[in-house]
Amino acid sequence: MPNHPADDRWMSLALTLGRRGLGRCWPNPAVGCVIIKDGRVIGRGWTQAGGRPHGETRALAQAGGNAVGATAYVTLEPCAHHGQTPPCATALIAAGITRVVSALEDPDPRVSGGGHAMLRAAGVAVVVGVGAAEAAFDHAGFLLTKTQTRPFLTLKLAASFDGRIATNSGESQWITGPQARHFSHYLRATHDAVMIGSGTVRADDPVLTVRGFGDIHQPVRVICDSNLGTDPGGNLGRSARDVPVWLCHGPKAAAANRAAWEATGATLIPCKTDANGRLDISDALSQLAHRGLTRVFCEGGGQLAASLLAAGQVDQLISFNAGLALGAQGTPSVATLPDMPLADYPRFTLRETRKIGVDALQIWRRS
């Protein structure tokens, strides 16, 4: 069935709505839905915190009886399976929707074309692929958990313009300005989890919560610590019962360390390690995906950044560069990578660059 002239416009609105759920609805996708009748919006919705209700359900509730004969724009194929809620495809049919425009087919085996087939069998006209490229990026985390059993990973680097994240003495607060730091908190809020390495925990004793946006849903805080040697009495351990803390650790972590962290209320996640005793970062991400995380925001440090890049696990790279140089004696933003031919190093495509306060922001995506 051909597209209507306004399809791109209404799908763009649905995508914008869906992004409101990013970081809040895992393990479900952040789906947006708009219901249109006679050229105007009669219902709109997006996946709510915790994953329910779904975007279609919210939009249909708003449209009410006016949904009869309307078109629904959905950023991902409506679900066709019974979970904690009935299938959205059934709800669209029951409401009298006569046309559904969806951006993507859902790769979840419980759906995977079944939602579209259910709609077509009921006589609903279905168009697939409008806004597909944007939707594929918005839903990348959900799609990756279903196809590769790993979350979408954003690596953030905040450094001097010569790529240093601390002085030789370890001083790092603050290399970038307040606007860059505020934007970093926004980025945290759009991900399911914030992840750092044990070195950053020891150096900074961070809190890793989203601040500056009022009362907001907090991401899970993930520590990669193969030996569980970080202090459970620090900021993360003291607040683990208020905001979740998950620790990815190796099989040789001491029983006393495990017990100390468990006493804080943190969740321990056993992972594989490599020949050097470091966490197998691909396995760690797989473990996080199995527990429902779809989008992870990594804030370093340099060794964790190097591990992620070497393993090919970085999907998006966001760099904040400040207008100062710290020299070769400063701590590099990325630790040593394996020796390999230049062509084999991970490449990224620049998608955006702009000034943010006194710093430069660049957004790169995996090529």
Side-chain angles (χ1 to χ4, degrees):
M1 174 170 290
N3 293 4
H4 290 186
D7 283 352
D8 289 333
R9 171 193 174 192
W10 296 125
M11 183 59 76
S12 180
L13 176 57
L15 287 162
T16 299
L17 291 171
R19 292 176 193 128
R20 297 186 182 187
L22 290 175
R24 296 163 174 79
C25 61
W26 62 277
N28 287 358
V31 175
C33 177
V34 179
I35 299 177
I36 305 298
K37 189 173 185 180
D38 298 327
R40 66 184 184 91
V41 177
I42 61 171
R44 60 179 196 158
W46 59 91
T47 311
Q48 297 298 292
R52 295 175 187 83
H54 293 179
E56 299 96 320
T57 303
R58 296 275 293 188
L60 287 170
Q62 196 175 90
N66 289 329
V68 176
T71 296
Y73 293 84
V74 189
T75 63
L76 187 67
E77 178 181 7
C79 61
H81 63 284
H82 283 269
Q84 296 187 25
T85 57
C88 289
T90 300
L92 291 165
I93 294 166
I97 295 291
T98 55
R99 184 171 181 261
V100 170
V101 180
S102 70
L104 296 173
E105 183 175 297
D106 188 341
D108 188 328
R110 298 171 298 175
V111 184
S112 194
H116 292 148
M118 185 182 294
L119 292 164
R120 291 187 176 108
V124 178
V126 176
V127 176
V128 182
V130 177
E134 282 189 76
F137 181 74
D138 289 353
H139 295 306
F142 176 76
L143 300 175
L144 284 169
T145 61
K146 299 303 177 186
T147 60
Q148 298 183 30
T149 321
R150 70 174 183 88
F152 177 89
L153 189 128
T154 298
L155 174 62
K156 185 202 88 171
L157 301 174
S160 60
F161 67 71
D162 60 341
R164 306 297 168 179
I165 58 174
T167 65
N168 188 43
S169 65
E171 185 181 359
S172 62
Q173 297 181 345
W174 296 100
I175 290 176
T176 54
Q179 291 92 339
R181 298 198 297 274
H182 183 71
F183 191 71
S184 292
H185 282 269
Y186 159 75
L187 292 170
R188 287 179 181 179
T190 63
H191 289 73
D192 309 341
V194 180
M195 182 170 74
I196 59 173
S198 57
T200 301
V201 178
R202 287 190 289 269
D204 298 339
D205 190 24
V207 179
L208 296 184
T209 52
V210 177
R211 301 183 294 280
F213 290 88
D215 186 13
I216 192 169
H217 176 79
Q218 294 292 339
V220 175
R221 299 168 298 172
V222 177
I223 307 171
C224 292
D225 184 0
S226 57
N227 296 315
L228 290 180
T230 47
D231 182 10
N235 283 324
L236 291 167
R238 289 198 302 270
S239 59
R241 297 191 187 280
D242 301 316
V243 179
V245 173
W246 296 2
L247 291 108
C248 295
H249 66 88
K252 295 183 178 180
N257 294 352
R258 292 199 302 269
W261 271 106
E262 286 173 340
T264 69
T267 298
L268 303 190
I269 303 175
C271 302
K272 298 175 184 176
T273 51
D274 62 19
N276 297 315
R278 293 195 180 114
L279 279 182
D280 179 330
I281 197 63
S282 297
D283 182 62
L285 291 174
S286 178
Q287 297 295 338
L288 296 178
H290 279 300
R291 286 162 175 79
L293 295 184
T294 66
R295 292 169 57 85
V296 174
F297 185 60
C298 178
E299 296 197 34
Q303 184 57 59
L304 181 55
S307 296
L308 289 163
L309 288 165
Q313 298 291 316
V314 178
D315 300 292
Q316 180 171 242
L317 178 62
I318 296 181
S319 65
F320 297 93
N321 292 106
L324 81 163
L326 299 180
Q329 71 275 21
T331 304
S333 58
V334 178
T336 303
L337 287 166
D339 286 330
M340 61 182 99
L342 181 61
D344 293 341
Y345 281 87
R347 290 271 183 179
F348 296 85
T349 300
L350 182 63
R351 301 304 298 266
E352 181 179 348
T353 182
R354 70 174 187 259
K355 184 178 179 182
I356 182 162
V358 296
D359 304 309
L361 166 68
Q362 292 183 327
I363 299 177
W364 304 75
R365 293 183 190 162
R366 182 201 293 261
S367 297

